[in-house]
Amino acid sequence: MASNCAGEVFASSGGGSVMAGSSWWVVVLLGVFGLVGGIGITAMGPGGVLPTIGLFTLTGVSPAEVAGTAIVTHVATGVVGTVVYTRSGQLRDPGTRRTALLLAGSAVLGTPVGVLVNSVVSPRVFGVVLGALVFAAAVLVLHRKPAAAALAHPPAPVVAGLGLSVAVVSGVVGIGGPLLTVPLLVALGVPVLESVASAQAQSVVIATVGAMGYLAHGAINWPLAAVVGIPELVGVVLGWRIAHALPTRGLRWALIVTLFALAPYLALRG
């Protein structure tokens, strides 16, 4: 599944890994995937899939370990994202808070299902699913509506159903949820910042429940989680600042192009 070079850098052994200095560039690239992914998470939602992509393409670990390692990093990013969006006021709005709670509650039910599905997924199928997910995210970002002038609050059953579906998919491939939740909420008329804020709370639950499931199967590679997760946390704070200070048009198009380019590669690489 992964290159021999990457396999030399991270050799799995009982859930751990050994890093060899001969391919330090792989470590650097994983850090870049984490940093850019963190920026994407809080700047516009999609972004959490980038650590999964980096782990899948640059290391020799199994699909379960890719998903488990990626999802455990989203526990911290979700907490930080929730804190900063509470600080900037979005999660203080009662309607946004209700949406966040509905998404988080449905994640408790959906995420374990995704973890169970992952346990029977082959590397080939994992690559195809990940590629399809990346393509779908690119399409959603490309066609998302402009932010509404007034804050919209979708009906509770719609939000719960959306949250349940996203949680299952997130549990399978090891993402936190904002990748799909934010574009879908925006499509329902929720402004971008409120959509991103709601998805942060959801990602805490998805990541925590998912991480416990993968931990029970010994499918979390902690050294890899640190390599990806620490830069990802830095990116989360940067992304929040970008979302409030700068137009995100350039970031949006860069993300769209990147996702469209990666989708077929991931599907074929599996």
Side-chain angles (χ1 to χ4, degrees):
M1 177 176 66
S3 66
N4 291 334
C5 187
E8 292 173 2
V9 178
F10 302 103
S12 297
S13 178
S17 71
V18 178
M19 297 187 185
S22 58
S23 295
W24 56 268
W25 60 269
V26 177
V27 179
V28 173
L29 283 177
L30 287 171
V32 171
F33 271 101
L35 178 65
V36 178
I39 292 172
I41 287 171
T42 46
M44 57 184 306
V49 73
L50 293 180
T52 304
I53 291 172
L55 291 166
F56 181 65
T57 57
L58 297 173
T59 75
V61 299
S62 68
E65 207 166 350
V66 168
T69 302
I71 207 167
V72 77
T73 69
H74 296 309
V75 176
T77 60
V79 169
V80 173
T82 300
V83 169
V84 294
Y85 273 100
T86 300
R87 178 181 175 183
S88 56
Q90 282 76 30
L91 282 173
R92 295 195 186 112
D93 174 79
T96 303
R97 198 160 53 238
R98 185 207 67 165
T99 297
L101 290 173
L102 286 169
L103 291 171
S106 59
V108 175
L109 300 175
T111 307
V113 176
V115 175
L116 289 175
V117 171
N118 177 280
S119 65
V120 297
V121 169
S122 68
R124 173 62 180 161
V125 173
F126 185 87
V128 172
V129 171
L130 184 57
L133 180 62
V134 168
F135 182 83
V139 171
L140 287 171
V141 176
L142 179 63
H143 291 289
R144 76 180 190 180
K145 300 176 183 177
L151 179 57
H153 298 301
V158 173
V159 176
L162 184 157
L164 183 66
S165 301
V166 170
V168 173
V169 175
S170 299
V172 174
V173 297
I175 58 175
L179 171 73
L180 294 175
T181 298
V182 173
L184 289 170
L185 286 176
V186 170
L188 292 171
V190 182
V192 175
L193 289 182
E194 283 72 15
S195 298
V196 176
S198 299
Q200 301 309 307
Q202 176 199 32
S203 71
V204 175
V205 179
I206 290 176
T208 301
V209 175
M212 289 191 296
Y214 284 108
L215 182 62
H217 291 89
I220 296 178
N221 190 307
W222 293 105
L224 278 176
V227 169
V228 173
I230 293 173
E232 194 176 4
L233 279 176
V234 175
V236 165
V237 178
L238 291 175
W240 170 69
R241 291 189 176 277
I242 290 170
H244 286 82
L246 299 173
T248 57
R249 181 179 176 84
L251 178 64
R252 173 174 174 261
W253 280 105
L255 185 61
I256 289 170
V257 171
T258 300
L259 293 177
F260 273 131
L262 284 171
Y265 172 77
L266 292 168
L268 293 173
R269 185 177 177 83

